[in-house]
Amino acid sequence: MAAHVANRKAQMEVSMLVRDPAVCRSINENHFNYKYFPEHKLPENVTATSDAKTALLGADYCLHAVPVQFSTSFLEGIAEHVDPGLPFISLSKGLELNTLRMMSQIIPQALKNPRQPFSALSGPSFALELMNKLPTAMVVASKDKKLAHAVQQLLSCSHLRISTSSISITAAAPHIRLLFFCSCDEVVTPDNLRDVTGVEIAGALKNVLAIAAGIVEGMNLGNNSMAALVAQGCSEIRWLATKMGGKPATITGLSGTGDIMLTCFVNLSRNKRVGVRLGSGEELEDILSSMNQVAEGVSTAGAVIALAQKYNVKMPVLTAVARIIDSELTPKKAVLELMSLPQVIQTP
C-alpha cells in the first residue's frame, strides 16, 4: 500500500515505520524491502524509519498494517506521538484473541482516544497483485462519511477501485504526508458505507474459513465438498455479523463474498496454505515455525467459539477449525462430524 500511494503522486511523502533496522536500511539505501517483494523497487518517495516520533510527525493519514494480535501493545507504545486527529486506515484483519475486539475497538482504546478517526479497508486484494498493478477492487467503511470519501480519493486509481458511495474522484493533494505501519461495482448504500462491523467481521472470519478450505484441499476431498464448505462458511459469517449489528449486504459484497472467494480458492492465501498443510497431516507448530508472515486465521479461530456462544449462533464449520487448531479434533473427525449434522430444510 505504501508503494501504491507513493506511485500515485511523486510529491507525496510516504513514511514506513518498521521494526527491523536492516529492512529500514534496505528501503532507504536501495529502495527495496529485501524481506518482502525483494524484486519490486519501491518509489523514491517512500522512506523508512524505526523511530515512531519521526514517522508520525506531520502525518496526514496512518495506514495500520500491524497484525491484530500485536496491535494493542504496538499502539500503546507509540500513543504519545499520535495526534488525536490523525485518521487511521486499518488494513489489519482479525479479532483479538482474549478480548474478541475488532480493530475499530483496538485502535481508539489502545491510543486512549475514543474519537480517533477510523476507517477499515477490506476486499479481495493479494498484496503481490497490487504490487504488480493488476486490477483490484476494495471497499472502505467508516462511521465518518467524510473520512470514507477522503480515503477513496486517496487510494483510487486506474487499477484500484475503492467503493464507498457515489462521488466524483479527484486527485489527492500532493502535499499529503502518509505514514504506514507496516471489477465490478459493489452496491454501497449509506448504511453499509458505515458498516464497520460487517466489514471487519467478514475480513476476520474469511481467514478462518480459508483454513477450512485448505484442509479440504489437503485431504483431497474434491470440488463438491469445497463448494459446500465455503457456502456453509459464508452463511455462518453472515449469521454472526448480522447478530453483531452488521448488514447482510456487506457480507455479500467485496469485503465479504469477494474476499472469501479469493482467500478460499487461491493458493496465494497464507491461511489457505496453513489449511492445506494441516489437511495433509502436518503439525500446526511445524507449519507456523516455517512461515515468515502471520496467518491471522490461526489466532482468530480461537475467538470464533467464544463469539458463537456469546451471540448464540451455530457455526459448525468455523468452530471445527478452532477445535482442529486447538488439537481437540482431527481433520478427518471434523469431516465426519460435519457430514453427520442433522439434515435441514433449505429456506430462502
Side-chain angles (χ1 to χ4, degrees):
M1 292 303 293
H4 168 75
V5 178
N7 273 321
R8 294 201 62 229
K9 284 285 181 180
Q11 302 96 321
M12 277 193 195
E13 298 176 37
V14 180
S15 177
M16 296 181 67
L17 178 58
V18 300
R19 292 181 301 165
D20 188 334
V23 169
C24 190
R25 287 193 301 273
S26 175
I27 292 172
N28 291 333
E29 295 174 6
N30 305 312
H31 299 288
F32 287 93
N33 183 331
Y34 78 94
K35 278 192 174 180
Y36 307 113
F37 306 120
E39 297 179 358
H40 289 76
K41 187 173 182 180
L42 296 171
E44 299 284 333
N45 51 328
V46 172
T47 59
T49 179
S50 299
D51 180 65
K53 183 177 180 180
T54 300
L56 285 156
L57 186 65
D60 293 283
Y61 293 93
C62 173
L63 281 87
H64 178 93
V66 177
V68 172
Q69 307 309 321
F70 306 103
S71 286
T72 294
S73 58
F74 169 78
L75 290 165
E76 287 175 346
I78 66 165
E80 64 180 299
H81 307 301
V82 177
D83 187 280
L86 177 65
F88 272 69
I89 305 167
S90 175
L91 311 177
S92 307
K93 298 176 180 178
L95 299 168
E96 197 170 48
L97 184 55
N98 295 324
T99 65
L100 310 182
R101 292 186 302 175
M102 299 175 285
M103 288 305 304
S104 57
Q105 299 165 309
I106 292 171
I107 287 176
Q109 291 176 20
L111 296 177
K112 294 182 171 56
N113 178 16
R115 296 184 178 276
Q116 193 77 44
F118 175 87
S119 64
L121 185 68
S122 193
S125 50
F126 284 141
L128 177 61
E129 296 190 4
L130 276 174
M131 289 293 280
N132 288 329
K133 301 182 181 179
L134 297 178
T136 301
M138 303 178 73
V139 63
V140 61
S142 177
K143 293 180 180 178
D144 181 343
K145 188 176 180 179
K146 289 183 179 179
L147 176 57
H149 290 168
V151 173
Q152 182 185 48
Q153 294 184 37
L154 177 69
L155 301 179
S156 295
C157 70
S158 60
H159 62 270
L160 178 60
R161 290 184 61 83
I162 304 292
S163 293
T164 56
S165 59
S166 235
I167 63 168
S168 58
I169 306 296
T170 57
H175 68 275
I176 290 179
R177 186 168 189 273
L178 296 168
L179 168 65
F180 287 79
F181 298 153
C182 291
S183 127
C184 295
D185 260 350
E186 176 176 5
V187 178
V188 183
T189 67
D191 279 342
N192 57 26
L193 164 65
R194 293 186 286 271
D195 186 13
V196 176
T197 296
V199 167
E200 288 203 275
I201 288 298
L205 297 191
K206 61 93 183 179
N207 288 327
V208 183
L209 182 54
I211 294 175
I215 290 171
V216 167
E217 183 173 311
M219 295 178 70
N220 296 311
L221 297 180
N223 297 318
N224 293 348
S225 58
M226 176 71 80
L229 174 126
V230 173
Q232 170 68 23
C234 287
S235 294
E236 293 178 15
I237 292 171
R238 186 181 72 250
W239 296 335
L240 179 63
T242 303
K243 279 286 190 80
M244 294 178 69
K247 308 292 181 183
T250 302
I251 309 305
T252 58
L254 281 172
S255 57
T257 303
D259 213 356
I260 289 167
M261 288 192 292
L262 185 72
T263 312
C264 290
F265 297 139
V266 182
N267 287 327
L268 278 174
S269 164
R270 296 188 296 274
N271 293 284
K272 185 182 178 184
R273 291 200 300 269
V274 168
V276 170
R277 294 173 68 178
L278 283 171
S280 301
E282 292 188 54
E283 296 294 328
L284 180 64
E285 185 177 347
D286 295 333
I287 296 169
L288 297 181
S289 65
S290 70
M291 299 176 67
N292 65 352
Q293 289 180 294
V294 175
E296 286 277 18
V298 175
S299 297
T300 302
V304 168
I305 293 176
L307 282 171
Q309 292 173 343
K310 180 177 180 179
Y311 290 96
N312 193 27
V313 178
K314 291 183 179 179
M315 305 173 70
V317 166
L318 298 184
T319 54
V321 175
R323 293 167 64 200
I324 290 170
I325 287 173
D326 288 341
S327 300
E328 295 178 11
L329 195 65
T330 65
K332 186 174 181 179
K333 287 183 178 179
V335 172
L336 292 174
E337 278 194 12
L338 291 171
M339 291 303 293
S340 300
L341 289 171
Q343 304 287 337
V344 297
I345 298 173
Q346 189 74 40
T347 56

